[in-house]
């Protein structure tokens, strides 16, 4: 039976903010790096998919962080796939410190796209051919929530540049998160309380587009919506403080 895979990280200076603790975006980056490395090692990474003109894209993501680790501390990310569907695959993560204490968890859902049409394709074959990669352990947190409506109270614009795009030639997930967090005051960003981020990707944003990043602040949470070139929502997200 398949087991969870473990990957080791250290909080480096480029991963922290002025509090000398890892940023939410840097922890999210490590989570997604773990997904890519693990898929590559198990034979269904983007290298294999690209040969067939396909690629993985992140559809939804939930991250829960109880506390942000300090600079130069070590941590471990465990990852496992709990299910394959026809449209989405669920990959899970837990983050633990050097003493073995869990301080975060994440649930991600992935789709596969045709690189020519940019549309989703049936990924059932991955489940059939790599069924031995499924671990019989449920997700460590609630699956990503859908954010159905956002009523921004303020917004800003961002033009997509070279440093924003990833190997799929659309905006990198962590750049979306950074754009959204940059809308918030420092006192909210540096609260040392547990947080949960849900992010839902609806459309791709590409190089050269002008994005509108809007936020709707509430008492214990903030909703975000990113649109491209004045069109319908491309990304929606929710950040909740759990004091």
């Amino acid at each position: 039976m398949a087991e969870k895979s473990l990957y080791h990280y250290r909080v480096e200076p480029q991963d922290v903010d002025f509090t000398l603790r890892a940023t939410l975006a840097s922890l999210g980056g490590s989570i997604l790096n773990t997904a890519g490395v693990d898929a590559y090692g198990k034979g269904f990474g983007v290298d294999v998919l690209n040969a067939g003109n396909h690629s993985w894209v992140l559809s939804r993501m939930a991250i829960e962080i109880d506390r942000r680790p300090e600079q130069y501390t070590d941590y471990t990310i465990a990852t496992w796939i709990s299910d394959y569907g026809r449209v989405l695959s669920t990959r899970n993560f837990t983050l633990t410190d050097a003493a073995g204490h869990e301080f975060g968890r994440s649930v991600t859902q992935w789709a596969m796209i045709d690189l020519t049409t940019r549309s989703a394709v049936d990924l059932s074959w991955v489940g059939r051919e790599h069924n031995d990669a499924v671990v019989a352990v449920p997700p460590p947190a609630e699956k990503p929530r859908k954010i159905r409506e956002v009523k921004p109270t303020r917004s800003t614009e961002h033009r997509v540049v070279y440093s924003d795009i990833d190997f799929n030639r659309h905006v990198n997930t962590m750049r979306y998160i950074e754009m959204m967090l940059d809308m918030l005051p420092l006192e909210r960003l540096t609260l040392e309380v547990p947080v949960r981020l849900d992010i839902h990707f609806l459309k791709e944003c590409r190089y050269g587009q002008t994005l509108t990043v809007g936020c709707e602040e509430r008492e214990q949470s903030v909703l975000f919506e990113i649109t491209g070139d004045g069109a319908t929502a491309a990304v929606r997200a929710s950040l909740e403080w759990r004091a």
Side-chain angles (χ1 to χ4, degrees):
M1 184 178 69
E3 298 181 350
K4 299 177 183 179
S5 299
L6 303 179
Y7 296 87
H8 303 290
Y9 294 89
R10 171 167 289 187
V11 180
E12 303 292 354
Q14 66 268 22
D15 299 325
V16 305
D17 60 18
F18 60 86
T19 68
L20 299 184
R21 294 181 179 276
T23 65
L24 185 58
S26 72
L27 294 171
S30 294
I31 288 168
L32 294 188
N33 179 65
T34 299
V37 172
D38 195 61
Y40 175 83
K42 289 181 167 60
F44 46 88
V46 292
D47 58 325
V48 174
L49 268 60
N50 285 174
N53 202 41
H54 295 149
S55 187
W56 290 113
V57 293
L58 184 60
S59 177
R60 300 169 193 161
M61 183 178 194
I63 307 174
E64 295 181 353
I65 300 295
D66 302 330
R67 54 183 172 81
R68 297 184 296 138
E70 297 178 345
Q71 182 173 264
Y72 297 128
T73 57
D74 296 319
Y75 64 100
T76 299
I77 297 182
T79 186
W80 70 100
I81 297 167
S82 55
D83 65 76
Y84 285 109
R86 187 180 64 82
V87 177
L88 295 174
S89 171
T90 303
R91 178 181 280 278
N92 311 286
F93 309 82
T94 54
L95 292 76
T96 56
D97 62 21
H101 300 132
E102 184 178 308
F103 66 87
R105 59 214 62 85
S106 179
V107 183
T108 59
Q109 294 181 307
W110 300 79
M112 187 184 298
I113 63 166
D114 182 293
L115 290 174
T116 301
T117 65
R118 312 301 293 185
S119 58
V121 299
D122 191 327
L123 55 78
S124 301
W125 67 270
V126 182
R128 291 193 299 269
E129 293 188 14
H130 299 280
N131 186 59
D132 57 349
V134 175
V135 178
V137 176
E142 180 186 347
K143 287 187 176 182
R145 306 164 183 166
K146 287 185 179 180
I147 298 93
R148 300 190 180 279
E149 184 181 23
V150 181
K151 298 178 180 178
T153 53
R154 54 194 176 88
S155 63
T156 189
E157 289 190 346
H158 176 88
R159 186 165 181 81
V160 179
V161 296
Y162 166 79
S163 59
D164 293 325
I165 57 177
D166 63 14
F167 62 89
N168 278 323
R169 298 199 177 196
H170 60 205
V171 176
N172 180 281
T173 300
M174 294 308 116
R175 287 297 295 124
Y176 284 124
I177 292 176
E178 290 169 340
M179 289 177 209
M180 293 185 289
L181 295 183
D182 283 344
M183 297 285 291
L184 301 179
L186 290 179
E187 56 269 22
R188 298 204 81 172
L189 292 170
T190 54
L191 281 173
E192 286 303 324
V193 297
V195 298
R196 177 180 167 108
L197 173 69
D198 290 87
I199 185 165
H200 185 197
F201 302 94
L202 302 164
K203 294 175 62 177
E204 292 182 295
C205 293
R206 311 296 292 276
Y207 177 81
Q209 282 187 285
T210 297
L211 309 183
T212 300
V213 186
C215 74
E216 176 189 346
E217 291 199 57
R218 300 182 177 182
E219 186 174 347
Q220 294 296 327
S221 65
V222 181
L223 301 181
F224 299 95
E225 181 173 271
I226 297 177
T227 60
D229 293 329
T232 56
V235 182
R236 290 194 181 112
S238 168
L239 180 64
E240 177 187 359
W241 288 268
R242 297 179 164 182

